Amino acid sequence: MTTRTVLFDSPFLLGFDHTRALIDRAQRAAAEAYPPYNVEQRGPASVRITLAVAGFTPDDLAVTVEGRQLTLAGKREGAEGTEAGPYLHRGIAARGFSRTFVLADGLEVAGAHLEHGLLHVDLVRPEERPAARRIPISQA
């Protein structure tokens, strides 16, 4: 384990452990390259994350949300360490993965679907209600 100095190590910034954990998680996620993914803006209030998961079935994949953390994971049974078939070249990865995203406040997972080897996870930001609204007064 390497030790590095981070802005939040200052004694004047006590209580920012959560922020430091988010920064560390983002750095680890940026270092991962498998599986490749896209993030696209689909409208003013919707985003889609697409992962290339060729060879995975819906039963091999898991999409979970815990707090503001979205985790996309895949594990193929029997794929780890097996040499099934006389491959001359094996370029399609069969290893499992876990990729996490920290969701912005207000983003919710609308759904996920697998299509042609691509896992699409749709996120939406529900329309916000105005902060102040007028309440009608009824008369008896």
Side-chain angles (χ1 to χ4, degrees):
M1 182 173 188
T2 61
T3 304
R4 64 180 187 270
T5 303
V6 178
L7 173 66
F8 293 100
D9 285 342
S10 169
F12 300 109
L13 297 171
L14 296 175
F16 286 90
D17 295 335
H18 177 69
T19 304
R20 181 178 178 179
L22 290 174
I23 291 170
D24 287 342
R25 188 179 310 137
Q27 287 176 336
R28 281 193 306 274
E32 298 173 8
Y34 178 77
Y37 68 94
N38 293 335
V39 179
E40 60 183 296
Q41 186 77 39
R42 309 264 303 168
S46 66
V47 174
R48 173 177 277 179
I49 299 172
T50 302
L51 271 75
V53 292
F56 286 86
T57 66
D59 292 335
D60 298 332
L61 299 168
V63 178
T64 57
V65 177
E66 184 176 338
R68 290 184 4 202
Q69 181 172 313
L70 169 66
T71 302
L72 309 174
K75 180 166 174 71
R76 295 200 317 200
E77 294 299 320
E80 303 288 333
T82 60
E83 295 299 324
Y87 291 104
L88 298 177
H89 172 74
R90 188 167 189 170
I92 299 174
R95 66 184 184 270
F97 67 89
S98 179
R99 187 170 286 281
T100 59
F101 299 88
V102 177
L103 302 178
D105 286 333
L107 272 183
E108 298 175 1
V109 177
H113 68 279
L114 184 64
E115 178 182 26
H116 305 297
L118 299 173
L119 174 63
H120 302 288
V121 179
D122 293 315
L123 307 169
V124 295
R125 182 181 311 271
E127 193 172 306
E128 293 184 27
R129 294 184 182 147
R133 54 189 179 119
R134 186 173 183 100
I135 308 299
I137 300 172
S138 61
Q139 202 170 5

